[in-house]
Amino acid sequence: MTTIDTAAAACTVLSPGDDGWDEARATFNLLDDQRPELIALPRDAGQVVEAVALARRAGLRVAAQGTGHGASSRDTLAGAMLVNTSRMTEVEIDHAERRVRVGAAARWQHVAPMLSELGLAGLHGSSLDVGIAGYSMGGGIGWLTRRHGLQANAVRAIELVTAEGEPVRADADHHADLFWALRGGGGNFGIVTAIEFEVVSLPELAAGSFFFPIERASEVLRTWTRLLPSFPEELTTWVSLIHFPPTPDVPDVVRGQSFAIVMAAHLGRESEARRLLRPLEALAPVMDTLGPQEPIALGTLAMDPESPLPYRSTTALVDELPDEAADAIAGLGGAGGALAMLQVRHIGGAFGRRPEGAGARATLPGEILVFALGVPMDAESDAAVSRGLDGLDAVLEPLAVGEYPNLVEHPVDASRFFDEATWARLRDVKSTWDPADLVRGNHHVPAAATAG
Ligand SMILES: Cc1cc2nc3c(=O)[nH]c(=O)nc-3n(C[C@H](O)[C@H](O)[C@H](O)COP(=O)(O)OP(=O)(O)OC[C@H]3O[C@@H](n4cnc5c(N)ncnc54)[C@H](O)[C@@H]3O)c2cc1C
């Protein structure tokens, strides 16, 4: 084991067995078991500088974590210091400029309620529990993306401590290569201390869900799929097949039950949303919650799990879902299936448009994103979950046109997420800023001079 003198460090640094060790190494997915050599808990950028210096002296690599939502896709932390930024959650909102600056571990829930009061919204995803840093650096997609594009494109500046231990601010005019790489290449280029981004005005929003018995999943999916070409970018809809657990944290009306749910967010009037969704409404949902909403409603619309849980997942981007695929998906996510949640998200629109000055991940291909997870509680259910996910992969593989890295929750060769030129450029930037590969983000980008 590496031993270093941490007594002089103002930044709290934990060794295995210290009080708070298990809490500091925990992640959202309870199947993860991160075992770094040390964990630094900086309070500000100055303490991140100290932590990086300490790691360098000790011959350790460094890896950052704000919330642990994206930890499953990172390689082992053996020989690494985990820089747990969870104490860095400051938020500044510039209402007039529609601009927000947050600390490295701020979650969407730290900004979304305040923004909503102002009639504004950030381009967050399905869960406000997710951290802004990891989400933004991997792309960032949610209810507003079809209209407003990926969150990575809304980022205006990133402050970080480099592998050399230098604090720098990267934006369009300063260290433009680094700024480009961070917006899509993830946490591979330094330890981020703050991030600035633009938010959008939402003067009118209708949102809510149509709930159907899970047995109708096939019919709902087929109907929804046919409607997609008629939906404007202002409307984003998903079909989610969810088996709600019978636990007290789940609302009474759905607890212990399974539904095929059409979820909708429309940047406009409820009447217009209902007109667009009429063929789905005509299927007579057992519960209908669509109505005018404040922006904050988008934070809970997806009904994502809010507490850490053990899970395995899979995902793919596709152009279309033929009826046979919709039926197969309905079977895998439906009654008696082992997949606790299966989301079929409509993407397209601004997902495919690259704004000027964009970073390494500005767009995603496809019209539909599928994501599913299962929750193994024992060996038997683990095997059933794996069979369910394998079955879904078999359905999606022939249709897949790509993957969205933030939802690929296991370590893979990250070159598969980028075209050749983008991957080569990411590796060049890595060579410039971290040639010794000190900083290890999830979905690793190696320096150009080193192999894989
Ligand atoms: C319940 C749930 C719902 C989700 N929904 C969506 C969704 O709708 N849309 C979507 O796009 N994604 C979604 N995601 C995926 C999510 O965007 C990724 O898991 C993302 O990596 C989380 O970022 P984080 O900062 O919260 O997590 P962390 O685990 O803290 O960080 C993830 C990675 O980001 C990098 N990173 C984080 N902080 C720093 C830092 N300070 N410096 C350098 N690198 C850093 C590192 O590479 C790190 O490994 C969801 C995930 C979960 C668990």
Side-chain angles (χ1 to χ4, degrees):
M1 189 184 128
T2 313
T3 49
I4 61 169
D5 177 14
T6 58
C11 174
T12 302
V13 179
L14 303 180
S15 298
D18 283 350
D19 281 352
W21 174 260
D22 282 334
E23 190 190 338
R25 74 185 184 90
T27 69
F28 187 76
N29 188 338
L30 299 177
L31 297 181
D32 294 336
D33 182 21
Q34 304 192 113
R35 294 183 180 276
E37 308 293 329
L38 294 172
I39 302 178
L41 288 157
R43 290 193 180 281
D44 55 31
Q47 292 195 353
V48 174
V49 171
E50 278 176 33
V52 171
L54 208 62
R56 289 177 65 95
R57 285 202 300 278
L60 298 174
R61 295 182 287 114
V62 289
Q65 169 171 313
T67 73
H69 279 75
S72 310
S73 50
R74 188 170 42 213
D75 290 335
T76 168
L77 290 184
M81 169 195 274
L82 182 65
V83 181
N84 179 325
T85 61
S86 57
R87 296 175 172 180
M88 299 171 66
T89 56
E90 68 276 10
V91 170
E92 291 165 41
I93 296 178
D94 183 336
H95 182 189
E97 295 292 323
R98 289 192 200 147
R99 199 158 164 145
V100 177
R101 179 181 188 279
V102 295
R107 300 173 190 240
W108 284 108
Q109 70 197 17
H110 294 128
V111 298
M114 282 185 276
L115 291 174
S116 186
E117 296 276 312
L118 300 166
L120 303 174
L123 304 182
H124 62 73
S126 54
S127 164
L128 299 182
D129 197 34
V130 165
I132 296 171
Y135 174 88
S136 304
M137 290 192 288
I141 60 166
W143 294 106
L144 302 175
T145 312
R146 274 173 52 73
R147 173 69 183 82
H148 292 289
L150 275 66
Q151 160 69 5
N153 298 334
V155 173
R156 294 292 167 260
I158 298 182
E159 293 165 26
L160 69 159
V161 173
T162 65
E164 289 288 320
E166 294 295 322
V168 302
R169 181 181 162 91
D171 60 25
D173 302 320
H174 305 92
H175 311 301
D177 60 335
L178 187 55
F179 185 51
W180 172 86
L182 286 162
R183 291 172 297 152
N188 288 291
F189 305 92
I191 306 297
V192 170
T193 55
I195 183 160
E196 277 180 33
F197 55 96
E198 286 184 3
V199 296
V200 299
S201 170
L202 283 195
E204 210 162 29
L205 172 69
S209 300
F210 298 160
F211 289 73
F212 298 90
I214 194 89
E215 291 73 19
R216 300 188 67 191
S218 205
E219 186 186 0
V220 169
L221 262 176
R222 281 180 176 226
T223 308
W224 175 79
T225 305
R226 285 193 175 82
L227 285 172
L228 296 186
S230 69
F231 289 164
E233 291 179 3
E234 286 71 24
L235 175 64
T236 294
T237 53
W238 302 2
V239 175
S240 278
L241 311 182
I242 307 183
H243 304 279
F244 292 97
T247 48
D249 54 321
V250 175
D252 292 359
V253 286
V254 294
R255 186 180 305 139
Q257 301 182 66
S258 301
F259 293 97
I261 310 168
V262 178
M263 302 166 171
H266 178 58
L267 310 183
R269 289 175 192 277
E270 178 190 346
S271 54
E272 176 65 2
R274 288 200 180 272
R275 188 187 66 74
L276 291 160
L277 296 169
R278 194 163 297 142
L280 286 157
E281 203 178 12
L283 296 180
V286 291
M287 210 172 4
D288 174 347
T289 62
L290 185 66
Q293 294 285 359
E294 301 297 321
I296 192 66
L298 298 180
T300 47
L301 182 57
M303 292 179 278
D304 270 4
E306 288 175 357
S307 310
L309 73 169
Y311 69 97
R312 300 189 195 287
S313 66
T314 194
T315 188
L317 303 171
V318 303
D319 276 335
E320 55 176 2
L321 275 187
D323 283 350
E324 318 80 69
D327 293 350
I329 287 174
L332 288 159
L339 304 179
M341 190 174 83
L342 197 161
Q343 295 175 341
V344 191
R345 304 183 178 194
H346 188 199
I347 60 170
F351 275 82
R353 287 199 294 272
R354 172 179 295 272
E356 206 179 320
R361 166 72 53 211
T363 62
L364 285 171
E367 282 294 313
I368 293 171
L369 179 151
V370 181
F371 173 82
L373 66 83
V375 182
M377 303 308 286
D378 51 31
E380 198 182 325
S381 61
D382 200 4
V385 165
S386 296
R387 277 196 303 278
L389 294 172
D390 289 349
L392 188 57
D393 285 342
V395 174
L396 296 174
E397 219 171 73
L399 302 169
V401 294
E403 289 168 298
Y404 171 47
N406 266 2
L407 294 180
V408 176
E409 298 179 306
H410 51 272
V412 295
D413 175 352
S415 65
R416 74 194 215 187
F417 299 132
F418 300 96
D419 61 49
E420 229 171 275
T422 305
W423 182 244
R425 188 172 168 197
L426 280 170
R427 295 190 65 176
D428 279 346
V429 176
K430 177 78 172 176
S431 303
T432 305
W433 290 92
D434 183 20
D437 210 2
L438 186 87
V439 183
R440 303 299 288 249
N442 60 352
H443 296 315
H444 181 223
V445 176
T450 62

